Amino acid sequence: MAAGGDWETVVGLEVHVQLRTAQKLFSVAPVRFGQPPNVDIDAVDVGLPGALPVLNDEAVTLALRLGVALGCTVRATSRFARKHYFYPDSPKGYQITQADEPLLSDGHVVIDGADGPRAIPLVRAHLEEDAGKSVHDELGTRLDWNRAGTPLLEVVTQPALRGPDEAMRFFRALRSLAMAVAACDGNLQEGSMRADANVSVRRRGAPLGTRVELKNINSPRFLHDAVAHEARRQIALLSAGGTVTQETRLWDPDRGESRVMRTKEDAPDYRYLGDPDLPLLVIDEARLDDVKATLPELPAARRARYEALGIATGAAATLVDEPATTAFFEAALSAAGGAAASATRAKAVANWVVNEVLGLPEGLARVPPSALGRLVALVDEGAVAGRGAKDVLRALHDTDDADTGAVVDVDALVDARGLRLQQGGDVEARARAVVREVLDKSPAQVAQVKSGKDKIKGFLVGQSLKALGQGADPKQVQQLVDEELAKR
Ligand code: ADP
Ligand code: MG
């Protein structure tokens, strides 16, 4: 039986969001990426006798920021527990996490579903520390504990996602939100967000099927592929009269397949115990009010506002996806005179950012947003043609003004290149004379256009523009060619 049909895929995600603190969750060791092995650890991280954990308050603040943005209920009193397991990546022999009384519960993430927006309900979100990692190379297996103790917020959804697409969208929406409130740097290459995907399939309307957990997936695209592959595997199994075994599998993005890590039978008994070294985590009203008061406008609200300015849905979604893009757009729009400058101003700036700047290598970093804003204003006012403006944009991109912070005089650039369109009555009269001359000199092409070969018009426009030089306005010339052709 083909996938789809009356099969439904059900996904619940557990996403580990790395909180962007300078120090570890329970120690003062720095959190850094790409350091030599085992330089960022201290006595607490490796569990030396007598070393006591002290909760990093900054991690709590970041968790609260994301929790409030997710609409979670905040527990006034939550607690930490030890989750015991014996594996060399966990030097203490246990992980500090939150079990029965997590900091955050409920809440939701809104995604674009197939039939409009859908709120995906969360079960909980809790603070926990990351583990270290085993490095396997030609020297054998060695341990790097730098990551041990890195603060994570684990966000757990209900089994409410329906298939690979929704799982991918959830991952993206959560990343966007976490970045917007500055809780996470969103850097997927560095593992700042990692998802465990629980996947089951069922006949539509039937109770939930047996789930398989896919571990440690670090990008929305991999998540999509892993869920799609797992659903196909389960449907094939069930369709052939087999059963799904509850197990944990590891997704290999390079091979596009998963393999078994462990089955339910060898699931570890974690022997959860309250951590006696850590006091209760108490959040008072004043602290929560403070978090609420300092949250920025969230991506969904900002997107709705952009759409109300006439910006297309897709472009608006792109602009709010990452704070760097949003900041660039806001700076460019403000330099373009703001949304009130003209009915098309916000839309024009949005299109230039999304279609042009984001298409250039490191576009956001290399183009000064204020210069782009002025350039788009000139285009929007009809003072520069789109084609000419693209030349200027490339010049802005190729110089290092964005790095040096030098203020770019876009008007001077436009004038130096002779790109400012001549406007006014004289200009039109001169352009019309040139167009007439071109038509006079091209009787064969005029006849072809008259006989319906509309494409030849481009030749006539091109010849006229060439004769007029760079300051000519292509739109105006096109209009004049049409008018003059109609008279013949
Ligand atoms: P555990 O206690 O074993 O960790 P939970 O019930 O807390 O399991 O669920 C863990 C994750 O698995 C949650 O994200 C949940 O939504 C998801 N989940 C549970 N059952 C299913 C199922 N049948 N199909 C898909 N996902 C599921
Ligand atoms: Mg966990």
Side-chain angles (χ1 to χ4, degrees), residues 64 67-68 70-76 102-108 123-125 288:
L64 289 173
V68 170
L70 291 167
C72 292
T73 304
V74 179
R75 250 196 193 73
L103 177 62
L104 305 160
S105 47
D106 303 315
H108 61 268
V123 179
R124 55 186 281 156
L288 212 47

PDB file of all heavy atoms in Angstrom, residues 64 67-68 70-76 102-108 123-125 288:
ATOM      1  N   LEU A  64      13.051  31.360  30.746  1.00  0.00           N
ATOM      2  CA  LEU A  64      11.791  32.072  30.997  1.00  0.00           C
ATOM      3  C   LEU A  64      11.378  32.890  29.773  1.00  0.00           C
ATOM      4  O   LEU A  64      10.200  32.942  29.414  1.00  0.00           O
ATOM      5  CB  LEU A  64      11.925  32.991  32.217  1.00  0.00           C
ATOM      6  CG  LEU A  64      12.015  32.282  33.573  1.00  0.00           C
ATOM      7  CD1 LEU A  64      12.314  33.294  34.679  1.00  0.00           C
ATOM      8  CD2 LEU A  64      10.716  31.519  33.886  1.00  0.00           C
ATOM      9  N   GLY A  67      10.058  30.471  27.354  1.00  0.00           N
ATOM     10  CA  GLY A  67       8.826  29.900  27.907  1.00  0.00           C
ATOM     11  C   GLY A  67       7.655  30.854  27.790  1.00  0.00           C
ATOM     12  O   GLY A  67       6.551  30.457  27.385  1.00  0.00           O
ATOM     13  N   VAL A  68       7.875  32.116  28.106  1.00  0.00           N
ATOM     14  CA  VAL A  68       6.793  33.105  27.995  1.00  0.00           C
ATOM     15  C   VAL A  68       6.396  33.277  26.529  1.00  0.00           C
ATOM     16  O   VAL A  68       5.209  33.330  26.181  1.00  0.00           O
ATOM     17  CB  VAL A  68       7.209  34.452  28.629  1.00  0.00           C
ATOM     18  CG1 VAL A  68       6.197  35.541  28.308  1.00  0.00           C
ATOM     19  CG2 VAL A  68       7.359  34.300  30.144  1.00  0.00           C
ATOM     20  N   LEU A  70       6.503  31.100  24.297  1.00  0.00           N
ATOM     21  CA  LEU A  70       5.763  29.901  23.899  1.00  0.00           C
ATOM     22  C   LEU A  70       4.395  29.829  24.567  1.00  0.00           C
ATOM     23  O   LEU A  70       3.623  28.906  24.318  1.00  0.00           O
ATOM     24  CB  LEU A  70       6.569  28.639  24.268  1.00  0.00           C
ATOM     25  CG  LEU A  70       7.851  28.388  23.473  1.00  0.00           C
ATOM     26  CD1 LEU A  70       8.702  27.312  24.145  1.00  0.00           C
ATOM     27  CD2 LEU A  70       7.520  27.983  22.047  1.00  0.00           C
ATOM     28  N   GLY A  71       4.094  30.779  25.430  1.00  0.00           N
ATOM     29  CA  GLY A  71       2.806  30.761  26.134  1.00  0.00           C
ATOM     30  C   GLY A  71       2.735  29.682  27.198  1.00  0.00           C
ATOM     31  O   GLY A  71       1.654  29.195  27.542  1.00  0.00           O
ATOM     32  N   CYS A  72       3.874  29.290  27.747  1.00  0.00           N
ATOM     33  CA  CYS A  72       3.900  28.231  28.765  1.00  0.00           C
ATOM     34  C   CYS A  72       3.422  28.750  30.121  1.00  0.00           C
ATOM     35  O   CYS A  72       3.481  29.947  30.405  1.00  0.00           O
ATOM     36  CB  CYS A  72       5.326  27.703  28.947  1.00  0.00           C
ATOM     37  SG  CYS A  72       5.972  26.810  27.530  1.00  0.00           S
ATOM     38  N   THR A  73       2.988  27.805  30.950  1.00  0.00           N
ATOM     39  CA  THR A  73       2.745  28.106  32.353  1.00  0.00           C
ATOM     40  C   THR A  73       4.076  27.966  33.079  1.00  0.00           C
ATOM     41  O   THR A  73       4.795  26.985  32.870  1.00  0.00           O
ATOM     42  CB  THR A  73       1.749  27.081  32.939  1.00  0.00           C
ATOM     43  OG1 THR A  73       0.575  27.113  32.138  1.00  0.00           O
ATOM     44  CG2 THR A  73       1.428  27.388  34.384  1.00  0.00           C
ATOM     45  N   VAL A  74       4.413  28.969  33.890  1.00  0.00           N
ATOM     46  CA  VAL A  74       5.688  28.934  34.610  1.00  0.00           C
ATOM     47  C   VAL A  74       5.436  28.437  36.031  1.00  0.00           C
ATOM     48  O   VAL A  74       4.606  28.986  36.750  1.00  0.00           O
ATOM     49  CB  VAL A  74       6.335  30.332  34.655  1.00  0.00           C
ATOM     50  CG1 VAL A  74       7.649  30.300  35.432  1.00  0.00           C
ATOM     51  CG2 VAL A  74       6.550  30.856  33.234  1.00  0.00           C
ATOM     52  N   ARG A  75       6.161  27.393  36.413  1.00  0.00           N
ATOM     53  CA  ARG A  75       6.014  26.881  37.785  1.00  0.00           C
ATOM     54  C   ARG A  75       6.714  27.809  38.759  1.00  0.00           C
ATOM     55  O   ARG A  75       7.881  28.131  38.581  1.00  0.00           O
ATOM     56  CB  ARG A  75       6.677  25.502  37.893  1.00  0.00           C
ATOM     57  CG  ARG A  75       5.695  24.402  38.063  1.00  0.00           C
ATOM     58  CD  ARG A  75       6.319  23.117  38.538  1.00  0.00           C
ATOM     59  NE  ARG A  75       5.315  22.072  38.361  1.00  0.00           N
ATOM     60  CZ  ARG A  75       4.981  21.595  37.183  1.00  0.00           C
ATOM     61  NH1 ARG A  75       5.570  22.014  36.098  1.00  0.00           N
ATOM     62  NH2 ARG A  75       4.032  20.665  37.085  1.00  0.00           N
ATOM     63  N   ALA A  76       5.986  28.230  39.774  1.00  0.00           N
ATOM     64  CA  ALA A  76       6.581  29.124  40.765  1.00  0.00           C
ATOM     65  C   ALA A  76       7.729  28.406  41.474  1.00  0.00           C
ATOM     66  O   ALA A  76       8.733  29.013  41.834  1.00  0.00           O
ATOM     67  CB  ALA A  76       5.525  29.572  41.770  1.00  0.00           C
ATOM     68  N   PRO A 102       8.846  20.320  36.153  1.00  0.00           N
ATOM     69  CA  PRO A 102       9.655  21.147  35.244  1.00  0.00           C
ATOM     70  C   PRO A 102       9.307  22.631  35.372  1.00  0.00           C
ATOM     71  O   PRO A 102       8.210  22.976  35.828  1.00  0.00           O
ATOM     72  CB  PRO A 102       9.272  20.629  33.859  1.00  0.00           C
ATOM     73  CG  PRO A 102       7.879  20.114  34.015  1.00  0.00           C
ATOM     74  CD  PRO A 102       7.794  19.579  35.427  1.00  0.00           C
ATOM     75  N   LEU A 103      10.232  23.489  34.966  1.00  0.00           N
ATOM     76  CA  LEU A 103      10.021  24.932  35.041  1.00  0.00           C
ATOM     77  C   LEU A 103       8.796  25.368  34.231  1.00  0.00           C
ATOM     78  O   LEU A 103       8.023  26.218  34.664  1.00  0.00           O
ATOM     79  CB  LEU A 103      11.275  25.649  34.523  1.00  0.00           C
ATOM     80  CG  LEU A 103      11.228  27.173  34.452  1.00  0.00           C
ATOM     81  CD1 LEU A 103      11.038  27.780  35.836  1.00  0.00           C
ATOM     82  CD2 LEU A 103      12.510  27.716  33.815  1.00  0.00           C
ATOM     83  N   LEU A 104       8.615  24.736  33.047  1.00  0.00           N
ATOM     84  CA  LEU A 104       7.564  25.196  32.134  1.00  0.00           C
ATOM     85  C   LEU A 104       6.661  24.050  31.710  1.00  0.00           C
ATOM     86  O   LEU A 104       7.133  22.930  31.496  1.00  0.00           O
ATOM     87  CB  LEU A 104       8.206  25.807  30.878  1.00  0.00           C
ATOM     88  CG  LEU A 104       9.214  26.944  31.133  1.00  0.00           C
ATOM     89  CD1 LEU A 104      10.136  27.129  29.934  1.00  0.00           C
ATOM     90  CD2 LEU A 104       8.480  28.239  31.460  1.00  0.00           C
ATOM     91  N   SER A 105       5.366  24.336  31.555  1.00  0.00           N
ATOM     92  CA  SER A 105       4.479  23.320  30.990  1.00  0.00           C
ATOM     93  C   SER A 105       3.447  23.987  30.086  1.00  0.00           C
ATOM     94  O   SER A 105       3.285  25.208  30.090  1.00  0.00           O
ATOM     95  CB  SER A 105       3.796  22.513  32.094  1.00  0.00           C
ATOM     96  OG  SER A 105       3.279  23.385  33.074  1.00  0.00           O
ATOM     97  N   ASP A 106       2.758  23.145  29.317  1.00  0.00           N
ATOM     98  CA  ASP A 106       1.771  23.612  28.323  1.00  0.00           C
ATOM     99  C   ASP A 106       2.415  24.582  27.317  1.00  0.00           C
ATOM    100  O   ASP A 106       3.584  24.467  27.051  1.00  0.00           O
ATOM    101  CB  ASP A 106       0.556  24.226  29.019  1.00  0.00           C
ATOM    102  CG  ASP A 106      -0.085  23.224  29.975  1.00  0.00           C
ATOM    103  OD1 ASP A 106      -0.247  22.055  29.573  1.00  0.00           O
ATOM    104  OD2 ASP A 106      -0.368  23.592  31.131  1.00  0.00           O
ATOM    105  N   GLY A 107       1.645  25.523  26.804  1.00  0.00           N
ATOM    106  CA  GLY A 107       2.161  26.403  25.757  1.00  0.00           C
ATOM    107  C   GLY A 107       2.013  25.763  24.382  1.00  0.00           C
ATOM    108  O   GLY A 107       1.515  24.631  24.259  1.00  0.00           O
ATOM    109  N   HIS A 108       2.434  26.476  23.359  1.00  0.00           N
ATOM    110  CA  HIS A 108       2.277  25.959  21.989  1.00  0.00           C
ATOM    111  C   HIS A 108       3.179  26.710  21.019  1.00  0.00           C
ATOM    112  O   HIS A 108       3.685  27.785  21.329  1.00  0.00           O
ATOM    113  CB  HIS A 108       0.825  26.098  21.546  1.00  0.00           C
ATOM    114  CG  HIS A 108       0.367  27.523  21.541  1.00  0.00           C
ATOM    115  ND1 HIS A 108      -0.254  28.099  22.636  1.00  0.00           N
ATOM    116  CD2 HIS A 108       0.500  28.492  20.620  1.00  0.00           C
ATOM    117  CE1 HIS A 108      -0.497  29.369  22.358  1.00  0.00           C
ATOM    118  NE2 HIS A 108      -0.051  29.635  21.153  1.00  0.00           N
ATOM    119  N   VAL A 123       3.866  19.761  25.837  1.00  0.00           N
ATOM    120  CA  VAL A 123       3.641  19.113  27.124  1.00  0.00           C
ATOM    121  C   VAL A 123       4.381  19.901  28.204  1.00  0.00           C
ATOM    122  O   VAL A 123       3.817  20.267  29.222  1.00  0.00           O
ATOM    123  CB  VAL A 123       4.149  17.656  27.110  1.00  0.00           C
ATOM    124  CG1 VAL A 123       3.927  17.005  28.472  1.00  0.00           C
ATOM    125  CG2 VAL A 123       3.467  16.858  26.000  1.00  0.00           C
ATOM    126  N   ARG A 124       5.643  20.192  27.934  1.00  0.00           N
ATOM    127  CA  ARG A 124       6.500  20.781  28.955  1.00  0.00           C
ATOM    128  C   ARG A 124       7.788  21.302  28.331  1.00  0.00           C
ATOM    129  O   ARG A 124       8.088  20.990  27.172  1.00  0.00           O
ATOM    130  CB  ARG A 124       6.869  19.707  29.977  1.00  0.00           C
ATOM    131  CG  ARG A 124       7.520  18.489  29.288  1.00  0.00           C
ATOM    132  CD  ARG A 124       7.769  17.351  30.226  1.00  0.00           C
ATOM    133  NE  ARG A 124       8.970  17.599  31.028  1.00  0.00           N
ATOM    134  CZ  ARG A 124       9.198  17.059  32.208  1.00  0.00           C
ATOM    135  NH1 ARG A 124       8.299  16.237  32.739  1.00  0.00           N
ATOM    136  NH2 ARG A 124      10.295  17.313  32.872  1.00  0.00           N
ATOM    137  N   ALA A 125       8.525  22.067  29.096  1.00  0.00           N
ATOM    138  CA  ALA A 125       9.884  22.440  28.698  1.00  0.00           C
ATOM    139  C   ALA A 125      10.692  22.522  29.979  1.00  0.00           C
ATOM    140  O   ALA A 125      10.263  23.136  30.952  1.00  0.00           O
ATOM    141  CB  ALA A 125       9.894  23.765  27.959  1.00  0.00           C
ATOM    142  N   LEU A 288       8.971  37.425  36.617  1.00  0.00           N
ATOM    143  CA  LEU A 288       8.187  37.073  35.437  1.00  0.00           C
ATOM    144  C   LEU A 288       7.700  38.332  34.715  1.00  0.00           C
ATOM    145  O   LEU A 288       7.752  38.424  33.485  1.00  0.00           O
ATOM    146  CB  LEU A 288       6.999  36.220  35.878  1.00  0.00           C
ATOM    147  CG  LEU A 288       6.505  35.170  34.910  1.00  0.00           C
ATOM    148  CD1 LEU A 288       7.640  34.345  34.338  1.00  0.00           C
ATOM    149  CD2 LEU A 288       5.505  34.263  35.621  1.00  0.00           C
TER     150      LEU A 288
END
